[in-house]
Amino acid sequence: MTPRIGTVSLHSPVVMAPMAGMTDTAFRRLVKRQGGCGLVVTEMVSSEGLVRGIDRTLEYAEYTEEERPVSIQIFGGDPSKMADAAQIVEGMGADIVDINMGCPVPKIAKHHAGCSLMREPSHAASIISAMAKAVKIPVTVKMRAGWNEHDINAPLLARMAQDAGAAAVAVHGRTAAQSYSGESDWSLIAHVAAGVSIPVFGSGDCVEPAQIVARLRESSVAGVLVGRGALRNPWIFQQATDAAMGRVPRTVPIEARGQFLLDYMDLLIDERVSEATGFRHTAPGQSDGPPPEARGRERWVINKLRALGSWYTKGLDGGAQLRVSINSAKSIPELRDLITKFFVSS
Ligand SMILES: Cc1cc2nc3c(=O)[nH]c(=O)nc-3n(C[C@H](O)[C@H](O)[C@H](O)COP(=O)(O)O)c2cc1C
């Protein structure tokens, strides 16, 4: 069954999880092109930055038509600013606006945003409610299991979110205190799903297509979010679809893996060009995006390749060496050359 989030129907229940620094528009487009991905979510975007129209904040919210349906995730702790930010997101034409209630990073949590909202469920509900009243597009919430092992309140918060107008929730089954240690608690996720009538998406530790299929069959969730698994294997969505249909998951030729990185680099370079021509779904602003000068642009592309490379090379034969080479490359032509050589000659 294909899930619906409010008025938005997804052609696949397998969704790409939001990942700051990783799920930029270039990566999302390439993932969509490989097939099987029902929804993409942007990196988290500051509500404050959106409302103030700070240059670069909106770069995080950019998307292209081929990514649809697209959900823009925002973070913040002030109900009226979050409502205003939701309206900006709606004005940008996004299909869904998602609220980050899962980020454990102190920089975010200290502003009563991210996962710290799970410690203040009534305040969290007032944010959801303000946003749901302000926009017509579905408002969704991404949360963790709870703040820590003594305060596992995802089932309660999901019910409150539903009552406040959320169209769906996603649950990463770890607490903020756990960060990424231990395992995602899928029995808790199932418990959340049993307590609400809106769709619940589960998140955590689905790194193989077979795991995605098993979670979809066993956990009574409407869908599964794939995060780190997609950074290693962007074909995982299509492979999971194959497995769900009883087909052998497709194999990915090594050259296609290399081409993915080359295409990623090209899209990142193009993006800087389209910025100049204004062809993007942006409104007028985050503070560590790419600087405008050419050398800065090249450095930005290199840093982006390094970030993806640190995940993408895991599990590849010779991957550790490739990672070292990517990390020491000083220019785009050097990167292109070493990627081509590695994937063609391996
Ligand atoms: C590098 C990275 C960045 C992330 N950034 C976000 C984010 O911006 N917003 C969010 O809700 N979750 C974020 N997450 C959490 C993921 O969406 C996901 O819930 C978590 O990684 C567990 O799923 P996985 O085991 O499939 O990776 C991030 C995870 C990673 C690894």
Coordinates of all heavy atoms in Angstrom, one line a residue, residues 33-70:
R33 N 16.5 9.8 -9.1 CA 16.7 9.2 -10.4 C 17.0 7.7 -10.4 O 16.8 7.1 -11.4 CB 17.9 9.9 -11.1 CG 17.6 11.4 -11.5 CD 18.7 12.1 -12.2 NE 18.5 13.5 -12.2 CZ 19.4 14.4 -12.6 NH1 20.6 14.0 -13.0 NH2 19.1 15.7 -12.6
Q34 N 17.5 7.2 -9.3 CA 17.8 5.8 -9.2 C 16.5 5.0 -8.9 O 16.5 3.8 -9.0 CB 18.8 5.5 -8.1 CG 20.0 6.3 -8.0 CD 20.6 6.7 -9.4 OE1 20.8 5.8 -10.2 NE2 21.0 7.9 -9.6
G35 N 15.4 5.7 -8.5 CA 14.1 5.0 -8.4 C 13.8 4.5 -7.0 O 14.7 4.4 -6.1
G36 N 12.5 4.3 -6.7 CA 12.1 3.6 -5.5 C 11.9 4.5 -4.3 O 11.5 4.1 -3.2
C37 N 12.2 5.8 -4.4 CA 12.2 6.7 -3.2 C 10.9 7.5 -3.3 O 10.7 8.3 -4.2 CB 13.4 7.6 -3.2 SG 13.4 8.8 -1.9
G38 N 10.0 7.3 -2.3 CA 8.7 7.9 -2.3 C 8.6 9.4 -1.9 O 7.7 10.1 -2.2
L39 N 9.6 9.8 -1.1 CA 9.6 11.2 -0.6 C 11.1 11.6 -0.2 O 11.8 10.7 0.3 CB 8.7 11.3 0.6 CG 8.6 12.6 1.4 CD1 7.9 13.7 0.6 CD2 7.9 12.5 2.7
V40 N 11.4 12.8 -0.5 CA 12.7 13.3 0.0 C 12.4 14.4 1.0 O 11.5 15.2 0.9 CB 13.6 13.8 -1.2 CG1 14.1 12.6 -2.1 CG2 13.0 14.9 -2.0
V41 N 13.3 14.6 1.9 CA 13.2 15.6 2.9 C 14.5 16.4 2.9 O 15.6 15.8 2.8 CB 13.0 15.0 4.4 CG1 12.7 16.2 5.4 CG2 11.9 14.0 4.4
T42 N 14.4 17.7 3.0 CA 15.6 18.6 2.9 C 16.4 18.4 4.2 O 16.0 17.8 5.2 CB 15.2 20.1 2.8 OG1 14.5 20.4 4.0 CG2 14.4 20.4 1.6
E43 N 17.6 19.0 4.2 CA 18.3 19.2 5.4 C 17.5 20.1 6.3 O 16.6 20.8 5.8 CB 19.7 19.9 5.2 CG 20.4 19.3 4.0 CD 21.7 20.1 3.7 OE1 22.6 20.2 4.5 OE2 21.8 20.7 2.6
M44 N 17.8 20.1 7.6 CA 17.0 21.0 8.5 C 17.3 22.4 8.2 O 18.5 22.8 8.0 CB 17.2 20.6 10.0 CG 18.6 20.8 10.5 SD 18.6 20.4 12.2 CE 20.3 20.6 12.6
V45 N 16.3 23.3 8.2 CA 16.4 24.7 7.9 C 16.0 25.5 9.1 O 14.9 25.2 9.7 CB 15.5 25.0 6.6 CG1 15.7 26.5 6.2 CG2 15.8 24.1 5.5
S46 N 16.7 26.5 9.4 CA 16.4 27.4 10.5 C 15.1 28.2 10.3 O 15.1 29.0 9.3 CB 17.6 28.3 10.8 OG 17.2 29.4 11.5
S47 N 14.2 28.1 11.2 CA 13.0 29.0 11.0 C 13.3 30.4 11.2 O 12.8 31.3 10.4 CB 11.9 28.6 12.0 OG 12.4 28.7 13.3
E48 N 14.2 30.7 12.1 CA 14.7 32.1 12.3 C 15.3 32.6 11.0 O 15.0 33.8 10.6 CB 15.8 32.0 13.4 CG 16.3 33.3 14.0 CD 15.3 33.9 15.0 OE1 14.7 33.1 15.7 OE2 15.2 35.1 14.9
G49 N 16.2 31.9 10.4 CA 16.8 32.3 9.2 C 15.9 32.5 8.1 O 16.0 33.5 7.3
L50 N 14.8 31.7 8.0 CA 13.8 31.8 6.9 C 13.1 33.1 7.2 O 12.9 33.9 6.2 CB 12.8 30.7 7.0 CG 13.2 29.3 6.4 CD1 12.2 28.3 6.7 CD2 13.5 29.4 5.0
V51 N 12.6 33.3 8.4 CA 11.8 34.5 8.7 C 12.6 35.8 8.5 O 12.1 36.8 8.0 CB 11.3 34.4 10.1 CG1 10.6 35.7 10.6 CG2 10.3 33.3 10.2
R52 N 13.9 35.8 8.8 CA 14.7 37.0 8.7 C 15.3 37.1 7.3 O 15.9 38.1 6.9 CB 15.9 36.9 9.7 CG 15.4 37.3 11.1 CD 16.4 36.9 12.2 NE 17.7 37.5 11.9 CZ 18.8 37.1 12.5 NH1 18.7 36.1 13.4 NH2 20.0 37.6 12.3
G53 N 15.0 36.1 6.4 CA 15.4 36.2 5.0 C 16.9 36.2 4.9 O 17.5 36.9 4.0
I54 N 17.6 35.5 5.8 CA 19.1 35.5 5.7 C 19.6 34.8 4.5 O 19.1 33.7 4.2 CB 19.7 34.9 7.0 CG1 19.3 35.7 8.2 CG2 21.2 34.7 6.9 CD1 19.7 35.1 9.5
D55 N 20.4 35.5 3.7 CA 21.0 34.8 2.5 C 21.6 33.5 3.0 O 22.2 33.4 4.0 CB 22.1 35.6 1.9 CG 21.4 36.6 0.9 OD1 20.2 36.5 0.7 OD2 22.2 37.6 0.5
R56 N 21.5 32.5 2.2 CA 22.0 31.1 2.5 C 21.1 30.2 3.3 O 21.2 29.0 3.1 CB 23.4 31.2 3.1 CG 24.4 31.9 2.3 CD 25.8 31.3 2.4 NE 26.7 32.0 1.5 CZ 27.8 32.6 2.0 NH1 28.2 32.4 3.2 NH2 28.6 33.2 1.1
T57 N 20.3 30.7 4.2 CA 19.4 29.8 4.9 C 18.5 29.1 3.8 O 18.3 27.9 3.9 CB 18.4 30.6 5.8 OG1 19.2 31.1 6.9 CG2 17.4 29.7 6.5
L58 N 18.0 29.9 2.9 CA 17.1 29.3 1.9 C 17.8 28.4 0.9 O 17.1 27.6 0.3 CB 16.4 30.4 1.2 CG 15.2 30.8 2.1 CD1 15.1 32.3 2.2 CD2 13.9 30.1 1.8
E59 N 19.1 28.5 0.9 CA 19.8 27.5 0.0 C 19.6 26.1 0.5 O 19.5 25.1 -0.2 CB 21.3 27.8 0.0 CG 21.6 29.0 -0.8 CD 23.1 29.4 -0.7 OE1 23.9 28.7 -0.1 OE2 23.4 30.5 -1.2
Y60 N 19.4 26.0 1.8 CA 19.1 24.6 2.4 C 17.7 24.1 2.1 O 17.4 23.0 2.2 CB 19.3 24.7 3.9 CG 20.7 24.8 4.4 CD1 21.3 26.0 4.4 CD2 21.4 23.7 4.8 CE1 22.6 26.2 4.8 CE2 22.7 23.8 5.2 CZ 23.3 25.1 5.2 OH 24.6 25.2 5.6
A61 N 16.8 25.1 1.7 CA 15.5 24.7 1.4 C 15.2 24.6 -0.1 O 14.1 24.3 -0.5 CB 14.5 25.8 2.0
E62 N 16.2 24.8 -0.9 CA 16.1 24.7 -2.4 C 15.7 23.3 -2.8 O 16.2 22.3 -2.3 CB 17.4 25.0 -3.1 CG 17.8 26.4 -3.1 CD 19.2 26.6 -3.4 OE1 19.9 25.6 -3.9 OE2 19.7 27.7 -3.2
Y63 N 14.9 23.2 -3.8 CA 14.6 21.9 -4.4 C 14.3 22.2 -5.9 O 14.1 23.3 -6.3 CB 13.5 21.2 -3.7 CG 12.1 22.0 -3.9 CD1 11.3 21.6 -4.9 CD2 11.8 23.0 -3.0 CE1 10.1 22.3 -5.1 CE2 10.6 23.7 -3.2 CZ 9.7 23.3 -4.2 OH 8.6 24.0 -4.4
T64 N 14.2 21.1 -6.6 CA 13.8 21.1 -8.0 C 12.6 20.3 -8.3 O 12.3 19.4 -7.4 CB 15.0 20.6 -8.9 OG1 15.3 19.3 -8.5 CG2 16.2 21.5 -8.8
E65 N 11.9 20.5 -9.4 CA 10.7 19.8 -9.7 C 10.8 18.3 -9.6 O 9.9 17.6 -9.2 CB 10.1 20.2 -11.0 CG 9.5 21.6 -11.0 CD 8.3 21.7 -10.0 OE1 7.5 20.8 -10.0 OE2 8.3 22.7 -9.2
E66 N 11.9 17.8 -10.1 CA 12.1 16.3 -10.2 C 12.2 15.7 -8.8 O 12.1 14.4 -8.7 CB 13.3 15.9 -11.1 CG 14.6 16.2 -10.5 CD 15.8 15.7 -11.3 OE1 15.9 14.5 -11.5 OE2 16.6 16.5 -11.8
E67 N 12.3 16.5 -7.8 CA 12.4 15.9 -6.4 C 11.0 15.6 -5.8 O 10.9 14.9 -4.8 CB 13.1 16.8 -5.5 CG 14.6 16.9 -5.8 CD 15.2 18.0 -5.0 OE1 15.0 18.1 -3.8 OE2 15.9 18.9 -5.6
R68 N 9.9 16.2 -6.4 CA 8.6 16.0 -5.8 C 8.2 14.6 -5.7 O 8.4 13.8 -6.5 CB 7.6 16.8 -6.7 CG 7.7 18.3 -6.5 CD 6.5 19.0 -7.1 NE 6.7 20.4 -7.3 CZ 6.6 21.3 -6.3 NH1 6.3 20.9 -5.1 NH2 6.8 22.5 -6.5
P69 N 7.4 14.3 -4.6 CA 7.0 15.3 -3.5 C 8.2 15.5 -2.6 O 9.0 14.6 -2.3 CB 5.9 14.5 -2.8 CG 6.1 13.1 -3.1 CD 6.8 13.0 -4.4
V70 N 8.3 16.8 -2.2 CA 9.4 17.2 -1.4 C 8.9 17.8 0.0 O 7.9 18.6 0.0 CB 10.3 18.2 -2.1 CG1 9.6 19.4 -2.5 CG2 11.6 18.5 -1.4

